[in-house]
Amino acid sequence: MMHRVVGGLIASLLLLATTSAMAESPAELISSFRLKHGEVRVVRDSTLDRIAMDQARAMATKDDLSHDALGPFNRRVAPAGAGRAAENIAYGYDNFEKTLGQWIDSSGHRKNLLLHNASRVGIASAKNASGKRTYWAMVIAGDYEPKGKGKKDKEPLVAVKREAAPASKPKSGGCHIKLLGLCI
């Protein structure tokens, strides 16, 4: 009887540990990595999420891994109001944990993940038209000005942008339909 109780308790604890590990959000995963390397925690930011989503969708639409899919990064990130920012992009993996692992294993991406004084992050993914390739964009930012002292005309200091080396170059094809300046 005692063995069943102990066995049930151990099974419950393992299930709880597995569930909580699986429930970690991308921001929590990034924060865990940052904390292990002496940097502060980051939180999700809706403006950075939107910037990342626009970038991921543009790359997926064009089926092209490029920081310039929607124009220069410093212009795209300016609405966030950050003093410094960096962007990582990738394609291939369907889940964030594997994509994050790919970035951690790349020195340039790792540097962006550990951007000093970063406090906010935006993460997004989008699939290409065939649904077979997932594009990822992460924008991390910090050095925000206190309210009332905004840098209205100043673009953020941009850290080195890195893109994950793809296993193979995406096929470049012509536009089938051009809608609002986007190739579909």
Side-chain angles (χ1 to χ4, degrees), residues 92-120:
Y93 291 118
D94 285 337
N95 68 58
F96 183 75
E97 292 82 6
K98 287 182 179 179
T99 301
L100 179 61
Q102 184 181 22
W103 287 335
I104 287 171
D105 291 342
S106 160
S107 63
H109 293 98
R110 182 184 183 95
K111 183 177 178 181
N112 287 348
L113 288 165
L114 296 172
L115 181 68
H116 187 61
N117 288 340
S119 57
R120 302 178 195 176

mmCIF file of all heavy atoms in Angstrom, residues 92-120:
data_model
loop_
_atom_site.group_PDB
_atom_site.id
_atom_site.type_symbol
_atom_site.label_atom_id
_atom_site.label_comp_id
_atom_site.label_asym_id
_atom_site.label_seq_id
_atom_site.Cartn_x
_atom_site.Cartn_y
_atom_site.Cartn_z
ATOM 1 N N GLY A 92 12.757 27.108 -40.605
ATOM 2 C CA GLY A 92 12.998 25.674 -40.575
ATOM 3 C C GLY A 92 12.287 24.942 -39.463
ATOM 4 O O GLY A 92 11.565 23.999 -39.732
ATOM 5 N N TYR A 93 12.517 25.344 -38.237
ATOM 6 C CA TYR A 93 11.908 24.623 -37.125
ATOM 7 C C TYR A 93 10.465 25.072 -36.894
ATOM 8 O O TYR A 93 10.149 26.242 -37.039
ATOM 9 C CB TYR A 93 12.705 24.826 -35.838
ATOM 10 C CG TYR A 93 14.045 24.147 -35.855
ATOM 11 C CD1 TYR A 93 15.214 24.881 -35.754
ATOM 12 C CD2 TYR A 93 14.146 22.758 -35.980
ATOM 13 C CE1 TYR A 93 16.453 24.260 -35.757
ATOM 14 C CE2 TYR A 93 15.377 22.130 -35.995
ATOM 15 C CZ TYR A 93 16.532 22.890 -35.884
ATOM 16 O OH TYR A 93 17.749 22.259 -35.899
ATOM 17 N N ASP A 94 9.612 24.106 -36.505
ATOM 18 C CA ASP A 94 8.216 24.412 -36.225
ATOM 19 C C ASP A 94 7.977 24.889 -34.803
ATOM 20 O O ASP A 94 6.900 25.382 -34.500
ATOM 21 C CB ASP A 94 7.329 23.182 -36.475
ATOM 22 C CG ASP A 94 7.115 22.917 -37.954
ATOM 23 O OD1 ASP A 94 7.255 23.863 -38.754
ATOM 24 O OD2 ASP A 94 6.817 21.764 -38.303
ATOM 25 N N ASN A 95 8.966 24.715 -33.903
ATOM 26 C CA ASN A 95 8.731 25.160 -32.535
ATOM 27 C C ASN A 95 9.827 26.108 -32.068
ATOM 28 O O ASN A 95 10.953 26.082 -32.573
ATOM 29 C CB ASN A 95 8.557 23.977 -31.571
ATOM 30 C CG ASN A 95 9.819 23.193 -31.369
ATOM 31 O OD1 ASN A 95 10.844 23.714 -30.954
ATOM 32 N ND2 ASN A 95 9.753 21.904 -31.673
ATOM 33 N N PHE A 96 9.453 26.944 -31.103
ATOM 34 C CA PHE A 96 10.376 27.977 -30.646
ATOM 35 C C PHE A 96 11.593 27.409 -29.920
ATOM 36 O O PHE A 96 12.694 27.934 -30.058
ATOM 37 C CB PHE A 96 9.657 29.000 -29.754
ATOM 38 C CG PHE A 96 10.587 30.106 -29.333
ATOM 39 C CD1 PHE A 96 10.958 31.087 -30.234
ATOM 40 C CD2 PHE A 96 11.128 30.125 -28.059
ATOM 41 C CE1 PHE A 96 11.856 32.084 -29.874
ATOM 42 C CE2 PHE A 96 12.026 31.124 -27.682
ATOM 43 C CZ PHE A 96 12.390 32.106 -28.597
ATOM 44 N N GLU A 97 11.411 26.346 -29.146
ATOM 45 C CA GLU A 97 12.530 25.790 -28.381
ATOM 46 C C GLU A 97 13.691 25.404 -29.297
ATOM 47 O O GLU A 97 14.847 25.684 -28.992
ATOM 48 C CB GLU A 97 12.081 24.571 -27.557
ATOM 49 C CG GLU A 97 11.130 24.912 -26.430
ATOM 50 C CD GLU A 97 9.674 25.068 -26.884
ATOM 51 O OE1 GLU A 97 9.355 24.804 -28.073
ATOM 52 O OE2 GLU A 97 8.848 25.469 -26.058
ATOM 53 N N LYS A 98 13.403 24.760 -30.416
ATOM 54 C CA LYS A 98 14.461 24.360 -31.349
ATOM 55 C C LYS A 98 15.079 25.574 -32.024
ATOM 56 O O LYS A 98 16.296 25.615 -32.245
ATOM 57 C CB LYS A 98 13.913 23.387 -32.397
ATOM 58 C CG LYS A 98 13.637 22.007 -31.839
ATOM 59 C CD LYS A 98 13.150 21.082 -32.926
ATOM 60 C CE LYS A 98 12.896 19.686 -32.361
ATOM 61 N NZ LYS A 98 12.387 18.782 -33.404
ATOM 62 N N THR A 99 14.256 26.559 -32.357
ATOM 63 C CA THR A 99 14.770 27.781 -32.973
ATOM 64 C C THR A 99 15.680 28.514 -31.994
ATOM 65 O O THR A 99 16.766 28.965 -32.364
ATOM 66 C CB THR A 99 13.600 28.686 -33.426
ATOM 67 O OG1 THR A 99 12.801 27.954 -34.359
ATOM 68 C CG2 THR A 99 14.100 29.959 -34.085
ATOM 69 N N LEU A 100 15.260 28.612 -30.739
ATOM 70 C CA LEU A 100 16.082 29.254 -29.717
ATOM 71 C C LEU A 100 17.414 28.509 -29.575
ATOM 72 O O LEU A 100 18.475 29.143 -29.486
ATOM 73 C CB LEU A 100 15.343 29.300 -28.375
ATOM 74 C CG LEU A 100 16.113 29.922 -27.211
ATOM 75 C CD1 LEU A 100 16.468 31.382 -27.494
ATOM 76 C CD2 LEU A 100 15.294 29.813 -25.923
ATOM 77 N N GLY A 101 17.385 27.194 -29.581
ATOM 78 C CA GLY A 101 18.608 26.411 -29.505
ATOM 79 C C GLY A 101 19.558 26.720 -30.652
ATOM 80 O O GLY A 101 20.779 26.826 -30.462
ATOM 81 N N GLN A 102 18.998 26.889 -31.833
ATOM 82 C CA GLN A 102 19.791 27.238 -33.014
ATOM 83 C C GLN A 102 20.445 28.603 -32.807
ATOM 84 O O GLN A 102 21.624 28.789 -33.121
ATOM 85 C CB GLN A 102 18.875 27.241 -34.238
ATOM 86 C CG GLN A 102 19.573 27.486 -35.548
ATOM 87 C CD GLN A 102 18.597 27.487 -36.708
ATOM 88 O OE1 GLN A 102 17.402 27.704 -36.550
ATOM 89 N NE2 GLN A 102 19.107 27.272 -37.902
ATOM 90 N N TRP A 103 19.699 29.567 -32.278
ATOM 91 C CA TRP A 103 20.242 30.905 -32.026
ATOM 92 C C TRP A 103 21.313 30.872 -30.933
ATOM 93 O O TRP A 103 22.332 31.542 -31.047
ATOM 94 C CB TRP A 103 19.129 31.872 -31.648
ATOM 95 C CG TRP A 103 18.240 32.263 -32.800
ATOM 96 C CD1 TRP A 103 18.562 32.265 -34.131
ATOM 97 C CD2 TRP A 103 16.892 32.720 -32.730
ATOM 98 N NE1 TRP A 103 17.491 32.695 -34.879
ATOM 99 C CE2 TRP A 103 16.457 32.985 -34.040
ATOM 100 C CE3 TRP A 103 16.015 32.934 -31.673
ATOM 101 C CZ2 TRP A 103 15.190 33.463 -34.333
ATOM 102 C CZ3 TRP A 103 14.743 33.408 -31.959
ATOM 103 C CH2 TRP A 103 14.335 33.671 -33.278
ATOM 104 N N ILE A 104 21.096 30.101 -29.882
ATOM 105 C CA ILE A 104 22.062 30.008 -28.783
ATOM 106 C C ILE A 104 23.384 29.435 -29.292
ATOM 107 O O ILE A 104 24.460 29.857 -28.861
ATOM 108 C CB ILE A 104 21.482 29.173 -27.620
ATOM 109 C CG1 ILE A 104 20.399 29.981 -26.888
ATOM 110 C CG2 ILE A 104 22.583 28.741 -26.651
ATOM 111 C CD1 ILE A 104 19.599 29.183 -25.862
ATOM 112 N N ASP A 105 23.322 28.492 -30.232
ATOM 113 C CA ASP A 105 24.523 27.859 -30.772
ATOM 114 C C ASP A 105 25.264 28.718 -31.804
ATOM 115 O O ASP A 105 26.328 28.335 -32.275
ATOM 116 C CB ASP A 105 24.174 26.504 -31.408
ATOM 117 C CG ASP A 105 23.772 25.471 -30.366
ATOM 118 O OD1 ASP A 105 24.089 25.667 -29.172
ATOM 119 O OD2 ASP A 105 23.130 24.477 -30.749
ATOM 120 N N SER A 106 24.719 29.868 -32.156
ATOM 121 C CA SER A 106 25.345 30.778 -33.119
ATOM 122 C C SER A 106 25.833 32.015 -32.364
ATOM 123 O O SER A 106 25.050 32.683 -31.686
ATOM 124 C CB SER A 106 24.307 31.176 -34.175
ATOM 125 O OG SER A 106 24.696 32.354 -34.841
ATOM 126 N N SER A 107 27.118 32.341 -32.493
ATOM 127 C CA SER A 107 27.681 33.433 -31.687
ATOM 128 C C SER A 107 26.975 34.773 -31.905
ATOM 129 O O SER A 107 26.729 35.510 -30.950
ATOM 130 C CB SER A 107 29.182 33.576 -31.942
ATOM 131 O OG SER A 107 29.422 33.926 -33.291
ATOM 132 N N GLY A 108 26.625 35.100 -33.136
ATOM 133 C CA GLY A 108 25.948 36.374 -33.406
ATOM 134 C C GLY A 108 24.545 36.426 -32.823
ATOM 135 O O GLY A 108 24.134 37.432 -32.234
ATOM 136 N N HIS A 109 23.802 35.331 -32.980
ATOM 137 C CA HIS A 109 22.450 35.271 -32.426
ATOM 138 C C HIS A 109 22.498 35.301 -30.900
ATOM 139 O O HIS A 109 21.676 35.936 -30.252
ATOM 140 C CB HIS A 109 21.734 33.991 -32.870
ATOM 141 C CG HIS A 109 21.456 33.958 -34.335
ATOM 142 N ND1 HIS A 109 22.270 33.298 -35.206
ATOM 143 C CD2 HIS A 109 20.464 34.510 -35.059
ATOM 144 C CE1 HIS A 109 21.793 33.440 -36.426
ATOM 145 N NE2 HIS A 109 20.696 34.178 -36.372
ATOM 146 N N ARG A 110 23.460 34.588 -30.370
ATOM 147 C CA ARG A 110 23.645 34.522 -28.912
ATOM 148 C C ARG A 110 23.902 35.928 -28.363
ATOM 149 O O ARG A 110 23.361 36.319 -27.339
ATOM 150 C CB ARG A 110 24.822 33.592 -28.621
ATOM 151 C CG ARG A 110 25.121 33.377 -27.179
ATOM 152 C CD ARG A 110 26.391 32.495 -27.090
ATOM 153 N NE ARG A 110 26.700 32.182 -25.742
ATOM 154 C CZ ARG A 110 26.327 31.073 -25.127
ATOM 155 N NH1 ARG A 110 25.630 30.154 -25.768
ATOM 156 N NH2 ARG A 110 26.652 30.862 -23.876
ATOM 157 N N LYS A 111 24.733 36.684 -29.064
ATOM 158 C CA LYS A 111 25.033 38.069 -28.655
ATOM 159 C C LYS A 111 23.744 38.896 -28.619
ATOM 160 O O LYS A 111 23.526 39.684 -27.706
ATOM 161 C CB LYS A 111 26.053 38.685 -29.613
ATOM 162 C CG LYS A 111 26.478 40.082 -29.235
ATOM 163 C CD LYS A 111 27.543 40.603 -30.186
ATOM 164 C CE LYS A 111 27.914 42.023 -29.819
ATOM 165 N NZ LYS A 111 28.924 42.560 -30.732
ATOM 166 N N ASN A 112 22.889 38.711 -29.608
ATOM 167 C CA ASN A 112 21.616 39.446 -29.629
ATOM 168 C C ASN A 112 20.712 39.021 -28.474
ATOM 169 O O ASN A 112 20.071 39.859 -27.845
ATOM 170 C CB ASN A 112 20.898 39.251 -30.964
ATOM 171 C CG ASN A 112 21.566 40.010 -32.088
ATOM 172 O OD1 ASN A 112 22.425 40.860 -31.879
ATOM 173 N ND2 ASN A 112 21.175 39.689 -33.303
ATOM 174 N N LEU A 113 20.649 37.723 -28.200
ATOM 175 C CA LEU A 113 19.835 37.237 -27.079
ATOM 176 C C LEU A 113 20.304 37.831 -25.755
ATOM 177 O O LEU A 113 19.504 38.033 -24.843
ATOM 178 C CB LEU A 113 19.887 35.709 -26.998
ATOM 179 C CG LEU A 113 19.136 34.951 -28.086
ATOM 180 C CD1 LEU A 113 19.566 33.492 -28.111
ATOM 181 C CD2 LEU A 113 17.631 35.074 -27.888
ATOM 182 N N LEU A 114 21.605 38.100 -25.662
ATOM 183 C CA LEU A 114 22.190 38.639 -24.432
ATOM 184 C C LEU A 114 22.394 40.157 -24.509
ATOM 185 O O LEU A 114 23.220 40.711 -23.779
ATOM 186 C CB LEU A 114 23.525 37.935 -24.141
ATOM 187 C CG LEU A 114 23.423 36.437 -23.857
ATOM 188 C CD1 LEU A 114 24.807 35.805 -23.770
ATOM 189 C CD2 LEU A 114 22.608 36.172 -22.599
ATOM 190 N N LEU A 115 21.621 40.824 -25.362
ATOM 191 C CA LEU A 115 21.718 42.283 -25.507
ATOM 192 C C LEU A 115 21.633 42.942 -24.132
ATOM 193 O O LEU A 115 20.661 42.754 -23.393
ATOM 194 C CB LEU A 115 20.587 42.791 -26.413
ATOM 195 C CG LEU A 115 20.549 44.289 -26.687
ATOM 196 C CD1 LEU A 115 21.747 44.705 -27.555
ATOM 197 C CD2 LEU A 115 19.247 44.656 -27.403
ATOM 198 N N HIS A 116 22.675 43.687 -23.779
ATOM 199 C CA HIS A 116 22.748 44.315 -22.465
ATOM 200 C C HIS A 116 21.615 45.328 -22.276
ATOM 201 O O HIS A 116 21.304 46.087 -23.180
ATOM 202 C CB HIS A 116 24.107 44.997 -22.288
ATOM 203 C CG HIS A 116 24.323 45.525 -20.913
ATOM 204 N ND1 HIS A 116 24.333 44.705 -19.799
ATOM 205 C CD2 HIS A 116 24.500 46.785 -20.461
ATOM 206 C CE1 HIS A 116 24.529 45.442 -18.725
ATOM 207 N NE2 HIS A 116 24.633 46.709 -19.099
ATOM 208 N N ASN A 117 21.033 45.305 -21.100
ATOM 209 C CA ASN A 117 19.926 46.194 -20.712
ATOM 210 C C ASN A 117 18.622 45.925 -21.456
ATOM 211 O O ASN A 117 17.695 46.728 -21.369
ATOM 212 C CB ASN A 117 20.291 47.678 -20.862
ATOM 213 C CG ASN A 117 21.280 48.124 -19.811
ATOM 214 O OD1 ASN A 117 21.431 47.497 -18.768
ATOM 215 N ND2 ASN A 117 21.958 49.229 -20.080
ATOM 216 N N ALA A 118 18.538 44.836 -22.177
ATOM 217 C CA ALA A 118 17.263 44.507 -22.834
ATOM 218 C C ALA A 118 16.240 44.160 -21.754
ATOM 219 O O ALA A 118 16.568 43.516 -20.759
ATOM 220 C CB ALA A 118 17.433 43.340 -23.796
ATOM 221 N N SER A 119 15.020 44.613 -21.959
ATOM 222 C CA SER A 119 13.964 44.349 -20.980
ATOM 223 C C SER A 119 12.684 43.831 -21.628
ATOM 224 O O SER A 119 11.797 43.350 -20.941
ATOM 225 C CB SER A 119 13.654 45.618 -20.186
ATOM 226 O OG SER A 119 13.282 46.672 -21.067
ATOM 227 N N ARG A 120 12.599 43.933 -22.943
ATOM 228 C CA ARG A 120 11.378 43.525 -23.646
ATOM 229 C C ARG A 120 11.732 42.710 -24.882
ATOM 230 O O ARG A 120 12.791 42.886 -25.475
ATOM 231 C CB ARG A 120 10.563 44.749 -24.066
ATOM 232 C CG ARG A 120 10.179 45.631 -22.897
ATOM 233 C CD ARG A 120 9.429 46.844 -23.361
ATOM 234 N NE ARG A 120 9.368 47.846 -22.294
ATOM 235 C CZ ARG A 120 8.841 49.040 -22.444
ATOM 236 N NH1 ARG A 120 8.319 49.399 -23.599
ATOM 237 N NH2 ARG A 120 8.837 49.889 -21.445
#
